[in-house]
């Protein structure tokens, strides 16, 4: 009896298709983020890595991200003023996107405003179910 193995043929996504796909992901992420609820957290992998200004590399979870933003939303009203169009650096199962952002955090008690302007850099990774999730993020404040 001869056993044959099926070869799985990996279909490569072209760079232009991948750029279009990730651009749509970034656009979707921001359109959900602008509602300032927690649905945008679903764009993240269950476990991801982050480097924020003045901090060390952090290995985080979606749950820890939600807890962080619960504290922020309790204290501040957040408004996205503007974001730049993303630049995409594609690869087969990963892509980098980066864009500028301009948002403000308004203290709910004092009405003091904090400007947060910078560049947001994300690493997207194709998941086994063919979805794309954020596995790394960092930002550079201007």
């Amino acid at each position: 009896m001869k056993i044959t193995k099926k070869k799985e043929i990996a279909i490569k996504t072209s760079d232009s298709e991948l750029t279009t796909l990730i651009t749509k992901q970034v656009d979707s992420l921001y359109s959900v983020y602008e509602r300032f609820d927690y649905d945008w957290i679903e764009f993240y992998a269950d476990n991801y890595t982050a480097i924020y200004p003045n901090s060390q590399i952090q290995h985080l979870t979606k749950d820890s991200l939600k807890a962080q933003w619960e504290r922020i939303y309790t204290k501040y009203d957040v408004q996205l003023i503007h974001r730049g169009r993303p630049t995409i650096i594609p690869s087969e199962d990963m892509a980098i996107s980066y864009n500028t952002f301009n948002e403000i955090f308004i203290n709910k008690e004092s009405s003091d405003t904090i400007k947060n302007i910078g560049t947001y850099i994300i690493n997207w990774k194709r998941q086994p179910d063919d979805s794309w999730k954020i596995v790394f993020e960092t930002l550079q404040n201007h």
Side-chain angles (χ1 to χ4, degrees):
M1 176 179 193
K2 184 178 179 182
I3 299 174
T4 58
K5 292 184 181 179
K6 272 189 174 177
K7 287 186 180 180
E8 290 187 27
I9 300 172
I11 299 172
K12 185 177 189 273
T13 306
S14 73
D15 284 354
S16 64
E17 289 172 318
L18 187 51
T19 297
T20 299
L21 186 120
I22 297 301
T23 299
K24 286 180 182 177
Q25 279 292 97
V26 173
D27 290 345
S28 294
L29 169 63
Y30 274 100
S31 67
V32 174
Y33 177 74
E34 287 177 318
R35 294 193 314 240
F36 300 109
D37 56 22
Y38 302 101
D39 291 344
W40 58 269
I41 293 171
E42 290 307 311
F43 286 85
Y44 286 75
D46 291 336
N47 297 288
Y48 70 99
T49 302
I51 303 175
Y52 302 121
N54 302 317
S55 71
Q56 297 181 352
I57 296 172
Q58 299 176 53
H59 300 286
L60 302 170
T61 65
K62 284 195 317 192
D63 290 339
S64 65
L65 181 62
K66 184 173 182 182
Q68 173 190 2
W69 280 90
E70 284 173 343
R71 291 188 299 274
I72 291 169
Y73 288 152
T74 298
K75 188 172 182 176
Y76 297 99
D77 285 321
V78 182
Q79 296 177 11
L80 181 65
I81 306 300
H82 180 265
R83 63 137 176 133
R85 295 298 309 149
T87 298
I88 310 299
I89 304 169
S91 181
E92 283 187 37
D93 65 346
M94 298 184 89
I96 303 287
S97 68
Y98 62 93
N99 61 275
T100 58
F101 64 88
N102 178 358
E103 63 186 351
I104 57 174
F105 292 74
I106 304 167
N107 187 296
K108 291 180 178 180
E109 288 183 16
S110 68
S111 295
D112 289 341
T113 301
I114 300 168
K115 286 185 176 184
N116 188 23
I117 301 170
T119 301
Y120 186 46
I121 305 165
I122 306 172
N123 185 296
W124 298 88
K125 182 165 178 31
R126 187 187 315 256
Q127 303 300 298
D129 67 358
D130 213 32
S131 66
W132 289 83
K133 298 286 185 177
I134 296 169
V135 295
F136 172 84
E137 75 173 355
T138 189
L139 59 94
Q140 175 64 44
N141 290 328
H142 296 179

